[in-house]
Amino acid sequence: MDLPALWKEQQLATFPAACLGRSAGGVGLLKLDAGVGALLTACLRQDGLPRVLSGLQRSELERQRPLLEAALADAGLTGEGRRYFERLHLLADHVLRA
């Protein structure tokens, strides 16, 4: 997988309008995206090459990962919304393995 290309694609993507007002595990998808996105930005920066997260950042990303899984388990999440959160989940997995 080309992590820098996937990161660039995610950075260029607009938050899907169909995801507004939706939540996973009691957390709004917009808030989840903002939180995970900030952690990914701290690690991947502009070039998409992983850097080590601090212990606190890593713990926070690990805490948010099940929320990404809950969002993807929602049968109502379709189309671009599903692709958006699939990318976010895949990026989070790669960062946690780095």
Side-chain angles (χ1 to χ4, degrees):
M1 181 187 74
D2 185 353
L3 188 61
L6 186 64
W7 177 234
K8 181 126 185 119
E9 181 181 352
Q10 187 69 8
Q11 286 181 302
L12 294 174
T14 303
F15 186 83
C19 293
L20 291 171
R22 299 187 75 88
S23 63
V27 176
L29 294 186
L30 185 59
K31 184 175 182 178
L32 177 61
D33 174 53
V36 172
L39 292 164
L40 292 175
T41 299
C43 179
L44 300 172
R45 299 192 188 150
Q46 290 297 324
D47 60 13
L49 300 175
R51 287 136 183 108
V52 177
L53 290 173
S54 72
L56 185 60
Q57 290 170 318
R58 183 175 186 76
S59 293
E60 182 61 20
L61 189 55
E62 287 171 344
R63 188 185 71 75
Q64 292 192 32
R65 191 175 176 281
L67 296 172
L68 290 171
E69 292 170 354
L72 291 171
D74 180 355
L77 188 67
T78 60
E80 183 52 36
R82 175 159 294 283
R83 288 186 296 277
Y84 187 91
F85 279 91
E86 284 172 344
R87 282 191 307 268
L88 207 58
H89 184 264
L90 188 56
L91 288 162
D93 278 351
H94 277 276
V95 164
L96 288 171
R97 285 193 301 238

